Amino acid sequence: MSSAFVGMSELSDEILLCILRHVPVCDLLTNVANVCQKLHALCHDKTLLTNITLSEEYLADDQLIRRILKQLASHVQSLSLNGCYWLSASTLDILARCRGVTHLDVTGCRLTSLCLSRLLSSLSSLRSLAFDVRPCFNSALLSSEAVDSLSRLTELRQTLFTPSYGVVPCCAKLRKLMLQFDIPDVTREGVGVCCQLMVGQSSVPHYEQLEEFTARLAPGEVNQTLLLLYLAVFSVHIPKHLRIFLVSIPGPNPAHWPAAPSLAQSLGQRGDLVALQLPRSWLDPFSLKRALEGNSPKHLSFSRCPALWPQVFQSLLNGGVRDATQLISLNLSGINHVPYSECRSVEDQLVAGTMSQLAAACSNIKHLNLMHTHYHHERSLGMDGETHLCASLGKFKQLRSLTLPACALSDGVNENHITTRLTASSPLFQGLKKAPRVGLQNYRADSEPSLSGDSTSGLAALIAGCPFLETLELIGPGFASALPRLEPCTRASVEPRGMCAWARGVGDAHLAALEALPQLRRLTLAGLPGVLRGTGLVQLARRCRDLRVLSLANLGSLKTMNYTAALLETLKQCTQLQELRLEQPYLNANTSFFEALSCCSRLQRLCLISRSGTFDPSATESFMERCCQVIMCHMFMNGTLVACRTLQKALLDRFSCERTALSVAIYPLQHEDLPSVIRGIPLTLLDRITLFQSHVAQPPHLSPL
């Protein structure tokens, strides 16, 4: 182009369409389309309006969504309202006008049985449906036209809040069935929930054409019982086209399923397995070997399956799969987990050499989860040449998300530094130390002692090999969130916090080294007692300017909040932050805290958890006023029930009119009614930020809603 300055109107239609694809649909149709006639025509191009997602349009009220849906009615083919919990039933009724829709996701929406019937009756082209089965659901209210539409479905996703088959018995042509079980064992009234009424039903689902089956369970016996009912047909006949089978059951003792060996044999015979995840009691090493033989899987998860540890690596490294380079996602969380007192031999820990072989064989892995494992790098004279685990992980050149145990970053325990630190922490020496200067300074390698001598050479090798990491989770041994999780580890076998000397040596120097990951978008740091002042956090935040999601839990001492100043400075640097989850026993959410948090002008979701923490109601309200995009404010702290409810009501009364999606939950952390309060929070928010859990290497079919 000869001109030195080129305006938007001078760009070609193809370039403008590429740009407009990144504009949210509400802005596209209500703002951009009104700029000029050319943009108006482009904004209504069918390539932009065929696949629409309204899930993140938190500031769009019912009136705006109705207007958007009317404009989309003749164009849209795939429409997602996943997590739009704030929309009214009358708005959802307008979906019936979108008669060309083939894929519809209304998970999390307040959809009644009659409304669902009307939608299905109008959407004769529908082939994929995702919705919630709530206690008020009644399949008998579905019209004959609705049942006809269901009979043509090939994909179905149900989130079950009550024991039910949902609409599965009406779907004879299903190829993909995705289930999420979130049924409590006891109702809010204290009445036990059971599945006995379902056992005698004749409408047992059949999966003749099924290719994909996924199930994700919340804790509870009812959920496991209901899953076995869904799987009853597998005991008689394994679908011959099945290539994806993912079942995630939390807790140490998943219910036994006798058909698991037959399933493994069937999966191994076809040779087209794509993804596999089974509870640890469902597979033995021989069955796993048969399931993987001759296959080229893309997603594998063996979370908390220590008995499968040798067979997993034997299959991946010694030709047990047809093409290991097809593997994209691998979850080995807790696969070698044993009680800490027994974690002494190399066999009980991650081996750097084995991970190097894995990186060579599975060269295209993008997502790797090694949480709840151990790696203890030795610095003794006899092991100077040993490759560090992080150097081995640096060979995964395609890696984009990674979860590691904290001890994996340590370069080894230095006895001299242990003595130095124990002496320096003595009350006598504390009293003789010179008072620190006012202000917060950058991390300096010689400023604070640590167990590892502040050596970060191992971590540097990882960062050099994987500079494009977007998601990183560092979880210390013994960490357990104060809130219940949908995917809890076996808490009975979690070692005491601080028992692993290698994990204690991971501190501010290691956090500062993460500044070399400029593309980092999501960061989780939990259970790191070696973080002294948090100065590494500040340095990291200054360089990782595009950080969107930050989760910090139990850093440093649990008896005091020793990194408050660094936290406030970190928040001031995180101008792109959209989600913050902060869990610390003595968090003080005062005026200074909320003023620093107000610098995160794009913040949408906030969750604070503190057993002995305090909060300032007026500062909270001022923060909500300044950060106008916040639609979720969850605070579980040490206030009185009256104070918590007063603040919650004040926030809802003041901001809910202008933010229709606003979710406020403020409650004492120790209160006995907290589980009921948590169950009342929209599931999409629970999965996303409120409940602590790892999302790395979770197969996409099992990802949070």
Side-chain angles (χ1 to χ4, degrees):
M1 296 181 181
S2 59
S3 174
F5 175 78
V6 179
M8 282 278 293
S9 59
E10 299 176 66
L11 297 176
S12 67
D13 290 353
E14 290 77 11
I15 294 178
L16 286 173
L17 286 173
C18 289
I19 296 173
L20 294 175
R21 285 193 186 98
H22 298 278
V23 179
V25 66
C26 287
D27 282 337
L28 192 72
L29 296 179
T30 59
N31 296 323
V32 181
N34 297 328
V35 173
C36 63
Q37 291 184 352
K38 180 177 182 178
L39 286 177
H40 183 274
L42 289 176
C43 287
H44 288 84
D45 189 273
K46 64 179 181 180
T47 60
L48 299 180
L49 304 181
T50 301
N51 301 309
I52 298 298
T53 298
L54 295 171
S55 301
E56 298 290 329
E57 302 287 353
Y58 292 117
L59 301 182
D61 57 14
D62 281 280
Q63 184 178 359
L64 179 58
I65 294 295
R66 289 193 200 104
R67 184 149 53 99
I68 295 298
L69 290 176
K70 290 176 182 178
Q71 295 186 56
L72 294 173
S74 58
H75 303 282
V76 64
Q77 296 178 9
S78 175
L79 179 60
S80 174
L81 295 171
N82 189 321
C84 294
Y85 49 85
W86 64 92
L87 296 181
S88 64
S90 60
T91 299
L92 298 176
D93 280 333
I94 299 181
L95 294 174
R97 299 186 182 185
C98 306
R99 298 184 180 275
V101 166
T102 58
H103 294 71
L104 178 64
D105 188 347
V106 287
T107 303
C109 298
R110 293 174 290 183
L111 199 67
T112 64
S113 300
L114 289 176
C115 182
L116 177 63
S117 179
R118 289 193 294 269
L119 286 180
L120 293 173
S121 300
S122 302
L123 306 179
S124 57
S125 301
L126 197 64
R127 295 296 178 268
S128 175
L129 174 66
F131 79 111
D132 293 344
V133 179
R134 299 189 176 275
C136 58
F137 177 79
N138 184 357
S139 59
L141 298 178
L142 299 178
S143 65
S144 57
E145 293 84 359
V147 174
D148 287 341
S149 292
L150 290 171
S151 67
R152 293 187 287 270
L153 287 185
T154 58
E155 299 180 13
L156 175 65
R157 180 169 184 165
Q158 292 185 155
T159 303
L160 299 153
F161 294 95
T162 188
S164 171
Y165 283 125
V167 299
V168 173
C170 303
C171 306
K173 297 182 179 180
L174 281 183
R175 294 183 180 179
K176 299 180 181 180
L177 178 59
M178 294 157 279
L179 304 169
Q180 178 154 348
F181 300 83
D182 202 89
I183 309 165
D185 286 341
V186 180
T187 66
R188 293 185 179 184
E189 293 76 23
V191 180
V193 179
C194 67
C195 298
Q196 293 180 355
L197 296 178
M198 298 184 56
V199 176
Q201 290 185 2
S202 59
S203 56
V204 176
H206 297 274
Y207 312 128
E208 295 295 333
Q209 303 181 38
L210 201 64
E211 299 176 6
E212 303 181 14
F213 180 89
T214 67
R216 183 168 180 259
L217 280 67
E221 294 297 327
V222 172
N223 292 315
Q224 296 195 38
T225 302
L226 184 57
L227 171 65
L228 295 181
L229 289 173
Y230 270 87
L231 293 175
V233 176
F234 282 75
S235 301
V236 180
H237 172 69
I238 303 294
K240 60 181 180 180
H241 300 294
L242 194 67
R243 56 194 183 91
I244 292 178
F245 193 87
L246 302 167
V247 174
S248 174
I249 301 179
N253 299 307
H256 179 63
W257 186 45
S262 299
L263 171 69
Q265 182 178 2
S266 177
L267 293 175
Q269 290 174 347
R270 289 191 50 81
D272 58 354
L273 177 67
V274 175
L276 178 65
Q277 175 175 349
L278 292 176
R280 62 179 180 177
S281 63
W282 288 17
L283 271 187
D284 55 66
F286 179 70
S287 297
L288 175 62
K289 179 182 178 182
R290 289 197 300 176
L292 295 181
E293 269 181 339
N295 283 295
S296 303
K298 293 184 178 180
H299 307 278
L300 291 176
S301 178
F302 304 106
S303 178
R304 303 190 308 276
C305 298
L308 303 180
W309 167 258
Q311 185 59 53
V312 168
F313 285 95
Q314 183 177 348
S315 294
L316 293 177
L317 301 180
N318 300 329
V321 296
R322 186 171 71 246
D323 185 4
T325 62
Q326 296 294 315
L327 193 62
I328 297 174
S329 173
L330 180 61
N331 188 344
L332 300 177
S333 171
I335 194 170
N336 68 341
H337 185 73
V338 295
Y340 181 77
S341 59
E342 302 172 15
C343 187
R344 290 293 183 265
S345 65
V346 174
E347 289 78 9
D348 296 329
Q349 302 174 25
L350 296 173
V351 180
T354 303
M355 297 307 294
S356 293
Q357 296 177 42
L358 187 65
C362 308
S363 56
N364 292 315
I365 286 183
K366 293 183 178 180
H367 315 287
L368 180 62
N369 193 326
L370 299 175
M371 185 170 68
H372 299 311
T373 58
H374 275 279
Y375 171 72
H376 297 163
H377 188 74
E378 298 289 349
R379 303 178 64 185
S380 59
L381 294 177
M383 303 189 70
D384 281 341
E386 180 193 0
T387 300
H388 196 286
L389 175 68
C390 287
S392 299
L393 295 176
K395 298 177 182 179
F396 288 95
K397 300 301 182 180
Q398 305 299 322
L399 209 59
R400 294 298 180 268
S401 62
L402 175 65
T403 297
L404 284 178
C407 55
L409 302 188
S410 175
D411 285 351
V413 176
N414 189 317
E415 297 297 332
N416 292 331
H417 282 277
I418 294 178
T419 304
T420 301
R421 181 165 181 175
L422 291 178
T423 304
S425 61
S426 168
L428 176 62
F429 283 90
Q430 291 275 345
L432 297 176
K433 287 177 66 177
K434 185 178 179 180
R437 291 180 60 188
V438 176
L440 188 68
Q441 301 166 10
N442 282 346
Y443 173 81
R444 297 195 311 274
D446 59 348
S447 61
E448 295 168 350
S450 82
L451 297 180
S452 61
D454 283 335
S455 175
T456 60
S457 58
L459 178 57
L462 169 62
I463 294 174
C466 306
F468 304 113
L469 271 177
E470 298 176 1
T471 300
L472 180 62
E473 298 177 346
L474 301 178
I475 315 294
F479 171 75
S481 175
L483 285 182
R485 289 176 286 178
L486 291 180
E487 296 175 0
C489 64
T490 309
R491 296 198 176 201
S493 61
V494 173
E495 66 250 31
R497 186 178 191 266
M499 286 295 292
C500 179
W502 283 261
R504 294 202 310 271
V506 175
D508 290 312
H510 298 83
L511 302 190
L514 298 180
E515 68 175 357
L517 295 173
Q519 297 193 27
L520 198 63
R521 303 290 186 273
R522 305 175 64 97
L523 177 63
T524 295
L525 304 172
L528 304 180
V531 175
L532 300 181
R533 297 296 178 190
T535 48
L537 269 178
V538 182
Q539 195 163 334
L540 180 156
R542 286 173 177 165
R543 294 293 299 274
C544 301
R545 305 296 297 177
D546 205 22
L547 197 63
R548 307 293 179 87
V549 178
L550 180 61
S551 179
L552 305 176
N554 292 4
L555 303 186
S557 172
L558 298 186
K559 297 180 179 180
T560 184
M561 182 77 173
N562 58 358
Y563 68 103
T564 299
L567 174 64
L568 300 187
E569 183 62 28
T570 299
L571 293 177
K572 293 175 182 178
Q573 304 295 327
C574 296
T575 56
Q576 302 298 313
L577 199 65
Q578 296 178 355
E579 298 182 9
L580 174 64
R581 186 188 191 277
L582 185 56
E583 180 170 352
Q584 201 74 25
Y586 287 91
L587 172 65
N588 185 8
N590 54 15
T591 302
S592 298
F593 171 80
F594 281 111
E595 284 181 353
L597 190 58
S598 297
C599 296
C600 307
S601 58
R602 297 191 177 186
L603 194 69
Q604 295 181 343
R605 291 167 285 270
L606 171 67
C607 182
L608 304 179
I609 302 168
S610 182
R611 182 181 64 249
S612 304
T614 59
F615 61 88
D616 186 327
S618 60
T620 307
E621 197 166 343
S622 299
F623 154 74
M624 289 290 290
E625 182 178 8
R626 289 193 293 267
C627 293
C628 57
Q629 295 189 42
V630 175
I631 54 87
M632 172 190 145
C633 181
H634 293 175
M635 297 167 53
F636 306 101
M637 305 183 76
N638 187 32
T640 64
L641 182 60
V642 172
C644 290
R645 286 183 171 176
T646 300
L647 178 57
Q648 177 174 305
K649 184 178 184 302
L651 295 181
L652 288 173
D653 290 345
R654 182 172 178 183
F655 301 107
S656 58
C657 291
E658 60 190 52
R659 309 178 201 181
T660 54
L662 184 62
S663 171
V664 178
I666 302 176
Y667 220 75
L669 185 59
Q670 307 288 351
H671 201 279
E672 59 183 7
D673 290 338
L674 182 59
S676 297
V677 173
I678 292 177
R679 284 202 298 267
I681 297 173
L683 189 58
T684 182
L685 298 180
L686 282 179
D687 273 354
R688 184 149 191 169
I689 182 172
T690 301
L691 300 183
F692 187 93
Q693 54 190 317
S694 173
H695 301 314
V696 170
Q698 186 76 283
H701 319 77
L702 281 177
S703 296
L705 300 179

